Amino acid sequence: MIGIVVVSHSPRLAHAAVDLALEMVGANGPAIAIAAGAGEGVTGTDAFKVAEAIAEVSSPEGVLVMMDLGSAVMSAEMALEFSDDPDLPVRLSSAPFVEGLMAAVVRAAGGATLDEVESEARGALRAKQSHLGDEDPAGLPVDSGPAAEHTIEVVLLNPDGLHARPVSMLVTAISAFEATVTVANLRTGKPPVPANSPTALLTVGARKGDTISVAAAGRQALEALEAVSDLVGTGFGELENTSARAPVSALSGSQPEAPPSSVAPSSGPLGVSPGLAVGPIVRMQEPVDEPGAAVTLSGREREAAVERIVAASASVALALRDRAARVSGAARGILEATALMAADPGLIDAAVDRVTGQGHTPERAVWAAVGEVASAFREQGGLLAERIPDLHDVRNRIVSELLGRPAPGLPDRVEPYVLVARDLAPADTALIDPSVCRAIVTVEGGPTSHTAILARALGLPAVVAARDAMDLPEGSVVIVDGTTGEIVVDPTDDQVARAEEQVSREVAFDGTGLTGDGHRVQLLANVASPDSVAAAIEAKAEGVGLFRTEFCFLDHAEAPGLDEQVAAYRRVFAAFPGKKVTIRTLDAGADKPLAFVTAADEVNPALGIRGYRTAWRRPELLDTQLRAIATAAAAENADVGVMAPMIATVDEAVEFAARCAAHGLHNVGVMIETPAAAVTAGPILDRVDFASLGTNDLAQYTMAADRLMGELALLNDPWQPAVLRMIREACQAGMAAGKPVGVCGEAAADPMLAAILVGLGATSLSMSPRALGGVAEFLRGVTVAQCRDAAVAAVAAAGAGAARSAAAVLLQSARV
Ligand code: PEP
Ligand code: MG
């Protein structure tokens, strides 16, 4: 492959352009070296850097140099004079910087020659020019190659048609074959373009639903067409349901064999917390970058810089105090403590000294001063080390203020809004105020990530894995559908009215879970904190099937004391007198780190010290918690059960039951969320009173798919037959032992899957309160025998989509 050098005045511009281009080719891109900036933090170009970059990516195939403007060209020319390898073919490209770089990277990744890549880059404006109606796009002839021997016509299924990513996939796929391939869009009737040219392919302007004609000639023409058909048929991996395939029609010449059905799951935006909401977008601000150290202030500038530091820290402290005054509980304490840090005279003096003594810019001075304090805290360890994240938060806020940027983190607003974020840490999500935040949209995250779970607990519609969400303009109004994952930008008045009407039609639960033929299934609520109990009661939950205690302490730097725990648990127990409340001991670690127990340096936290395993290291935490639960249970009238998360062995179950007994707790259970626990559910249930299936983790561990990764959401699906088999194993063990086995993972909240769980033998279903109405209504429409038949069909299905379809055929038809 040829090498590529990117010369720019701005390192940030260069890195961003390279990142964008590499997104098109993933790990298969050419070697790229950047020569940007004229020194630490200084805008400009430097011929020596360019020469070094050329040497770094030199290849016998040659090097293409892409430049932004002005002196970039001169620096590149000068760099050629420094070259000590006169035979190295190096070409300076006149191509547009961003489009040219994308085109060059894609074409180079396909193994094209230096001439081909250069020509592709020069024509890179074609798509834009053709789209905007320029008469002679780039003035470059498009050669559609020799006469085609084989042709297929395929319909584009993916939502955005032939945009940059599918185009690069097509170019890369075709480059593997000895074939000349062309593509034409039958809707526009324009002449075919060569399929090895990303820029030409972009001019095809093919949208979802368009039929494209793909023609190929050459020794491997059929193989190339098959590859194209496969990519188009699976929607370039951009379809939610990859079992749908594009129809292939009107073949001429020999017809390629139908490609095998898709095996590469991928996902678009996913609705993970039901409901509709309308509101303006507010983006969660990303943290600031470390300010450069290159600039030294003159004597005259230093005085003003000092004043700016003082003013910025005062303004940050004031904003934090204001915000603290508007919230209550733990959030208020955190905000007040952070406000104090922002106004800390020691910190301000340390920053001021750096300005007056060394001429640092105010933002650099603050960054460095906080860095020094953080190192001292780190050396001290213990509680001081736990304050480092707060220090960094203060630093980021003051630096943002100095740079005139909005404060990082959750927006501080009193008007309703839709929160858009790249990702949300559990602690961020816990601080969201559901009275102003209408919905959550994130770029990352899966259906069982804690963003999703907390959104459901807060009753907020949420969509995750919305890859382009951060590109949505701040302030534009959107309708967010947390069920389908659809996000409508700038809706019409009609659309808003329809959405509002739909919200008013949500089904209510009458408080008793039953199938149509009277089979009893308790429908319970998952709660995350005493504050979320109100929603469970309002939804008429029959009790609590999962009280996630760790969510009460997400913002704690130190372990909660006995009294604090007793008070929190009592509030939940008191809300359900005479009713079942299943409380889970701390499930810290992996996706729910707790500062006081989770190690920050685990290589593989989901497989590490989390859940019950934290008691290996900190047995006293579990004992204090069990004592608090026993005390709270004795003081209230709830029917309390206690269970441990992430059990993997019979020995752990035995040990947990013994520890509970030592505290006078007798209704003891375990969560089945590892395949190990599912397949040994029999012997486990011999030692405890009940089990509860955590299908979120059970899916993660059965499918070996990180529950936080939106990209893996289709694997991380409780409809996967492998997961259903695990559930069946555990339920059968429960039936054999005559002990209850419920489900408290998110699977229980999917009405049709709830019926399958009942068919598999689950005795109770616990879910976010909002889901109770829908699940109850669905169960009332089916008999337990139909649930069992559908469960047999779903377990026997070949994949998650097929399991869903089989269940739908048996259950939906039963309902009419
Ligand atoms: C689960 O894993 O399904 C579960 C209920 O536990 P959590 O989601 O809190 O890990
Ligand atoms: Mg779990």
Side-chain angles (χ1 to χ4, degrees):
M1 258 186 231
I2 69 154
I4 295 181
V5 168
V6 176
V7 184
S8 169
H9 286 67
S10 153
R12 285 170 69 177
L13 172 63
H15 283 282
V18 169
D19 285 351
L20 191 63
L22 287 179
E23 253 181 50
M24 300 294 132
V25 292
N28 306 320
I32 303 179
I34 291 177
E40 191 74 358
V42 180
T43 303
T45 57
D46 173 345
F48 284 105
K49 277 192 180 180
V50 181
E52 274 169 19
I54 293 174
E56 189 184 326
V57 295
S58 73
S59 130
E61 265 57 66
V63 174
L64 186 66
V65 183
M66 310 291 305
M67 298 146 285
D68 61 4
L69 64 169
S71 68
V73 180
M74 273 141 26
S75 296
E77 282 172 339
M78 213 182 293
L80 295 188
E81 287 168 24
F82 303 149
S83 168
D84 44 15
D85 179 359
D87 297 330
L88 177 69
V90 181
R91 201 77 56 76
L92 306 189
S93 168
S94 62
F97 187 65
V98 177
E99 289 92 341
L101 180 61
M102 299 241 306
V105 167
V106 172
R107 198 67 204 276
T113 63
L114 182 58
D115 283 342
E116 288 166 340
V117 175
E118 188 203 5
S119 147
E120 188 69 40
R122 261 191 294 126
L125 282 180
R126 270 196 302 237
K128 201 191 274 176
Q129 290 170 324
S130 141
H131 183 82
L132 297 175
D134 287 6
E135 285 200 340
D136 177 20
L140 292 173
V142 173
D143 174 12
S144 55
E149 290 160 7
H150 305 279
T151 308
I152 57 168
E153 289 176 8
V154 283
V155 180
L156 291 177
L157 294 178
N158 58 314
D160 298 319
L162 275 189
H163 65 95
R165 186 177 156 277
V167 157
S168 87
M169 289 171 84
L170 262 186
V171 173
T172 311
I174 287 168
S175 67
F177 302 105
E178 217 178 279
T180 307
V181 182
T182 63
V183 172
N185 184 351
L186 298 187
R187 179 176 54 80
T188 60
K190 286 191 191 165
V193 300
N196 62 359
S197 161
T199 55
L201 275 179
L202 284 168
T203 66
V204 166
R207 308 192 291 239
K208 180 181 177 184
D210 283 356
T211 302
I212 57 171
S213 165
V214 188
R219 197 176 64 81
Q220 292 183 302
L222 284 179
E223 287 88 337
L225 286 180
E226 186 170 331
V228 174
S229 167
D230 211 11
L231 278 174
V232 176
T234 53
F236 297 92
E238 293 177 347
L239 298 178
E240 274 198 39
N241 180 0
T242 48
S243 59
R245 296 193 58 82
V248 177
S249 64
L251 288 151
S252 67
S254 351
Q255 176 172 348
E257 291 243 311
S261 62
S262 159
V263 290
S266 162
S267 56
L270 290 169
V272 293
S273 176
L276 278 177
V278 186
I281 285 178
V282 176
R283 272 200 297 265
M284 173 122 164
Q285 293 300 323
E286 308 260 337
V288 279
D289 291 335
E290 177 171 354
V295 177
T296 305
L297 300 180
S298 68
R300 267 184 303 120
E301 291 167 321
R302 296 183 190 185
E303 203 175 314
V306 168
E307 278 169 24
R308 289 186 58 216
I309 291 179
V310 175
S313 44
S315 136
V316 167
L318 183 67
L320 287 167
R321 274 197 303 272
D322 266 7
R323 200 161 157 200
R326 279 186 265 124
V327 296
S328 58
R332 180 178 208 144
I334 297 175
L335 291 166
E336 279 168 352
T338 320
L340 279 180
M341 260 188 210
D344 182 341
L347 204 61
I348 298 172
D349 286 352
V352 164
D353 285 351
R354 288 174 169 274
V355 172
T356 49
Q358 298 163 47
H360 280 181
T361 59
E363 48 279 5
R364 179 72 206 164
V366 169
W367 192 278
V370 172
E372 238 164 51
V373 180
S375 314
F377 278 20
R378 200 168 292 116
E379 266 166 37
Q380 296 283 325
L383 294 184
L384 271 186
E386 289 175 10
R387 306 256 53 98
I388 293 175
D390 303 349
L391 265 177
H392 287 158
D393 183 41
V394 164
R395 174 198 69 192
N396 293 348
R397 285 172 187 279
I398 302 179
V399 171
S400 298
E401 175 79 18
L402 285 164
L403 295 172
R405 286 180 42 171
L410 282 178
D412 178 18
R413 275 176 72 102
V414 284
E415 303 85 25
Y417 67 97
V418 169
L419 179 65
V420 172
R422 185 157 298 288
D423 201 2
L424 285 172
D428 290 326
T429 323
L431 285 178
I432 287 172
D433 176 357
S435 64
V436 281
C437 179
R438 290 268 164 90
I440 300 172
V441 177
T442 61
V443 175
E444 298 295 338
T448 59
S449 62
H450 281 83
T451 297
I453 290 169
L454 279 165
R456 285 190 284 263
L458 292 168
L460 289 177
V463 173
V464 300
R467 273 182 297 143
D468 301 328
M470 291 300 271
D471 299 337
L472 295 175
E474 178 100 4
S476 53
V477 173
V478 284
I479 298 179
V480 178
D481 186 332
T483 308
T484 62
E486 195 185 2
I487 300 166
V488 182
V489 187
D490 294 329
T492 61
D493 291 349
D494 259 14
Q495 286 172 310
V496 172
R498 272 204 303 280
E500 279 165 358
E501 198 221 303
Q502 218 170 310
V503 173
S504 64
R505 270 194 277 121
E506 276 183 4
V507 208
F509 173 44
D510 66 6
T512 308
L514 286 172
T515 59
D517 57 340
H519 175 82
R520 191 74 175 86
V521 186
Q522 270 196 321
L523 297 185
L524 308 161
N526 289 351
V527 303
S529 68
D531 291 337
S532 59
V533 160
I537 293 173
E538 200 184 325
K540 296 207 175 73
E542 296 188 57
V544 172
L546 170 63
F547 174 12
R548 290 181 162 101
T549 53
E550 62 280 1
F551 282 123
C552 303
F553 311 117
L554 282 174
D555 54 8
H556 279 46
E558 297 141 42
L562 181 73
D563 294 346
E564 183 184 358
Q565 292 193 55
V566 172
Y569 307 155
R570 279 190 68 175
R571 280 178 63 200
V572 177
F573 297 163
F576 292 94
K579 294 194 176 162
K580 179 162 166 173
V581 177
T582 306
I583 180 168
R584 176 174 77 183
T585 54
L586 291 181
D587 182 21
D591 49 323
K592 294 169 289 187
L594 291 182
F596 56 87
V597 56
T598 311
D601 54 358
E602 277 194 1
V603 179
N604 210 340
L607 301 181
I609 307 290
R610 62 161 296 199
Y612 184 68
R613 298 166 189 184
T614 52
W616 300 354
R617 284 200 178 155
R618 304 283 305 275
E620 79 287 0
L621 283 183
L622 179 60
D623 282 323
T624 307
Q625 185 170 31
L626 292 177
R627 189 136 58 95
I629 294 171
T631 311
E636 305 293 342
N637 289 322
D639 171 14
V640 174
V642 55
M643 64 182 179
M646 277 288 289
I647 290 294
T649 66
V650 178
D651 284 347
E652 285 174 325
V654 171
E655 184 190 89
F656 181 66
R659 293 172 92 136
C660 288
H663 290 280
L665 289 162
H666 294 295
N667 186 17
V668 176
V670 296
M671 290 196 67
I672 298 205
E673 40 189 0
T674 61
V679 297
T680 53
I684 286 179
L685 276 164
D686 286 344
R687 287 19 183 237
V688 293
D689 304 307
F690 68 92
S692 185
L693 281 148
T695 47
N696 308 335
D697 278 316
L698 189 57
Q700 156 166 270
Y701 295 123
T702 303
M703 303 305 296
D706 187 337
R707 63 191 268 183
L708 298 181
M709 278 189 76
E711 230 177 318
L712 299 182
L714 294 185
L715 277 181
N716 215 323
D717 182 343
W719 280 99
Q720 288 287 355
V723 181
L724 296 177
R725 280 167 197 253
M726 292 287 167
I727 297 171
R728 182 180 63 180
E729 187 89 23
C731 290
Q732 284 178 349
M735 287 186 269
K739 293 189 179 171
V741 175
V743 176
C744 64
E746 299 308 312
D750 169 343
M752 196 158 66
L753 186 48
I756 299 297
L757 297 171
V758 170
L760 290 172
T763 51
S764 64
L765 302 172
S766 189
M767 63 205 81
S768 69
R770 270 187 97 131
L772 284 165
V775 169
E777 193 203 24
F778 195 94
L779 291 182
R780 289 277 172 110
V782 292
T783 64
V784 71
Q786 285 160 349
C787 293
R788 288 184 188 132
D789 289 349
V792 170
V795 167
R804 242 188 227 101
S805 312
V809 168
L810 291 165
L811 294 172
Q812 303 281 18
S813 59
R815 293 169 59 80
V816 286

